[in-house]
Structures are given as structure tokens and as C-alpha cells.
Amino acid sequence: MALNYIWISFLLIAVAVAAAQAVMGDLAPLGAVMDSMFSSAKSGFEISIGLTGVLALWLGFLKIAERSGVIGALSRMVAPFFAEIFPGVPKGHPAMGNIFMNFSANMLGLDNAATPLGLKAMEELQSLNPKKDTATDAMIMFLVLNTSGLTLIPITVMTYRAQFGAANPSDVFLPILIATYTSSLVGLIAVAVKQRINLLKRAVILPLTVMTAVIAALLLWFASIDPDTQRVASNVITYTTLLGIVSSFVIAGLIKKVNVYEAFVDGAKEGFKVAVGIIPYLIAILVAIGMLRASSALEWLLGGIEWLVSLCGIDTRFVDALPTAILKPLSGNGARGMMLDTMTALGPDAFASKVSCIMLGATDTTFYILSLYFGSVGITKMRYALPCGLIADAAGLLMAIFVGYLFFG
């Protein structure tokens, strides 16, 4: 229901703002909003079609992992921790392994791998859902942690900075890591409070402590090596991890004497079905976001924010980075475009450009993820998933501003 009201609000705001400008003599926004309706619908379809190949590929490999017992082994490995934060999922259920693999792919910045894994996890969670149109507690916890966007290696952001000629493309690595970890931790706490989950149990505290220690070790290591070595190390870690996962699935299948080819084809067929099911939901949300952007409503909002910030006597340099923050929960491509636009206008090493980069890596696209994942299994009642996701987003984006001043002030 919440998504329904948000979708309607976006459309009405876009039309109202464009109409107001038309009354004042500027007809261009009306045409832009109309054009955006069709172009966004086309983009939504193209993105869905583009996902088809990736979904077929990864769900094919996942089917191999499932039949060879890899998913079951992963489920048992993470069972103690996940049993506490996903109390509604039975011990040893395949959903646990898929959730773990999705989180792992996200942390390594493997977006193309993470999406199919996440959609498969949602399918498994839906099999446990007694009310097929209503999100379960486990689904909400899973998606809020997804929207928080925990990423250990922000390769995409560093690559863009390098392309724009930044003096040190990887100088945003540490700030992004701090911001995204904050977002994930706050998201976990927000959902845990709502679901009355005790996070002080040993099974939860120990993994979180270990993860914090690993992140701290990565921070120290990356801080001690030169930028070129950082980029090489990031790529090596990412690529070897991805190929290692795929190889382990195939090898496990051979050991268990699974018909690997047949399993892959069966999984790929499922991927095609999932991609087709996503199309209407994706088009709906992208059309609303596209119209909002085309109406200039965001520009008006920014001007108002800058005026309010200046009235409070606060430094306004971060305001130029806010378009990325505003669009990040709505559209990954939109936020990325805003970040690139900021770097183009101000230069890659400007303060606002760096803060914009940190914001892009701090969280994920909350509205897109909720629409995509819930839509893939027919969920229409998301309950409190959106508020908790936005709380995590707010924490990550505020931390992005804070560490921006701390590192680059």
C-alpha cells in the first residue's frame, strides 16, 4: 500500500510542478514530463530484458549449487547467526544459503551476481509465506539489509573517478566503507527493534565483531598501500572470488555426480520466467521517477534546502552533492547520473564531487530494490519495509556527509 501512495505522489507532484511552470509561461517541462513517460517505460523494458541473460546465467549456476548440496552446506554454516535475525526461517532451509550468497556478492560489489541470488532468496522465502501478498518478517529483514548496500570494495565509484581524472581515485574508499557499514548496522538495528529480535546474543555479537575486525583490517591495509595497488588488489579480489564461486559450484556438482549441464539449463529457464515477471513492476517505478526528474521538482527542492541550510549558518558545500542523495533511494542510474554530472560541473576532486561519490556507495536503491524483489514474488503489502529501509538510507547518507568533512573538509 505504501508503494502505491508513493507512486501516485511522484506522478502528481511531477504533473503539478510541470503545470505550474506552464502557467508561468515555460511549456518545456510539460513536454519533458510527457517524453519521460515513454522513455522511462522503454528503459524499464530494456533493463528487464538486459537482466534476462544475467538471471538465466546465475540461476543456472545456483541450480547446480542446489543439486550438489552447496546451498545446504552454506545454510548450515550461517545457521547460528541467521537463526537469530531470521527466526521465521526453518533451520537448514535453502533460503539461508541464498541470502548468505546474496550478501557476499553485494559486499564484493558484484551487482550482476547479487540480483539473481537475491531474487532466488525471495522465491525461497515466499515458499514459507502463508499470506502470498504480504511481506514476512524475514523478507523485510533481508531487503532492508539489501537496501543498506553494504559494500567492501566500491569498484564502480573508483573507476568513474579514475575516468574523470581524479588525482587519487581511491581516496573515497575509506569514507564509503564507513558510511555503508553504518547504514547496514542501523538497518539491522531498526528491523530488530521492530521485530523484537535480541541482537545481544552470542551468535549475533560474535559475527558482527568479526566483521567489524575484518573491515578495520581492510581499512588499515588499503590505507598502507598506494592507489594503483589498491585498484589492482580490488580487481583481483573481486574477479577471483567470482570465478571461485562458479568453479566451486561446478566441481561440487561433478563430485556429487550431478548432471551439471541439465541443472544449469533448468535454472536458466527459471531465470527467464523471473525476468519476465519483473517487467511491469520495474516500468511502473521508473516511469514515476523519470517524470519527477523531468519536471524540475528536484531542482526546486535543492534550492529550498540550500536556503534553509544557509539560514542555520551551516556550510552549504555539501548541498551540491544532494541530488545524488535524493535520487539514490529512487534510482541507481539516476543517482549515478547525478554523481557524474556533479564531477563534470565541479571537477572530480571538488568537495561536493567527493561527497557525491561517498553517497553513491553508502546505500542502495531502496525503492528499486523493494519494487523489484517484492514484485518478483507478487508481494503488494510491504508493511514496514520502506520506513526501515529509509532509516538505513538516512544513516548512511548523513554519515557520508560527516566523513566527507572529516576526510576532505
Side-chain angles (χ1 to χ4, degrees), residues 23-24 28 207 223 235 272 342 344 397:
V23 170
M24 292 185 290
N235 288 333
F272 181 80
T342 302
T344 300
L397 294 171

Side-chain angles (χ1 to χ4, degrees), residues 175 179 354-355 358-360 362 394-405:
K354 291 183 178 182
V355 173
I358 300 169
M359 288 175 168
L360 190 74
L397 294 171
L398 288 173
M399 182 57 70
I401 296 172
F402 174 77
V403 294
Y405 279 100

Side-chain angles (χ1 to χ4, degrees), residues 95-151:
M96 291 297 196
N98 287 308
I99 290 172
F100 173 77
M101 292 166 66
N102 170 264
F103 288 164
S104 299
N106 272 325
M107 286 190 289
L108 292 170
L110 306 175
D111 297 337
N112 288 339
T115 299
L117 294 168
L119 292 172
K120 182 64 175 178
M122 284 295 288
E123 181 182 322
E124 297 289 355
L125 291 173
Q126 180 70 336
S127 69
L128 301 170
N129 189 0
K131 297 181 179 179
K132 299 302 181 183
D133 64 341
T134 304
T136 64
D137 286 351
M139 287 178 176
I140 294 172
M141 175 65 82
F142 172 55
L143 289 189
V144 169
L145 291 178
N146 252 278
T147 62
S148 68
L150 179 60
T151 304

Side-chain angles (χ1 to χ4, degrees), residues 12-85:
L12 293 180
I13 290 172
V15 173
V17 171
Q21 293 178 81
V23 170
M24 292 185 290
D26 185 3
L27 298 177
L30 277 178
V33 168
M34 181 61 68
D35 292 341
S36 178
M37 286 178 57
F38 298 103
S39 62
S40 296
K42 180 181 178 182
S43 296
F45 180 77
E46 290 173 347
I47 291 171
S48 299
I49 295 301
L51 277 174
T52 303
V54 177
L55 286 170
L57 174 69
W58 284 102
L59 290 184
F61 283 124
L62 272 179
K63 184 62 70 174
I64 296 173
E66 181 183 322
R67 293 184 182 176
S68 62
V70 173
I71 299 294
L74 286 172
S75 298
R76 292 188 292 273
M77 185 187 303
V78 300
F81 176 73
F82 279 3
E84 298 297 339
I85 66 172

Side-chain angles (χ1 to χ4, degrees), residues 5 10 12 86 104 120 132 171 188 214 240-241 243-244 257 279 306 334 339 360 372 396 403 407:
Y5 291 134
F10 284 178
L12 293 180
F86 295 105
S104 299
K120 182 64 175 178
K132 299 302 181 183
D171 59 3
L188 174 63
V214 169
T240 55
T241 300
L243 292 175
K257 297 182 179 179
I279 292 175
E306 186 169 3
M339 180 196 73
L360 190 74
L372 177 68
V403 294
F407 279 78

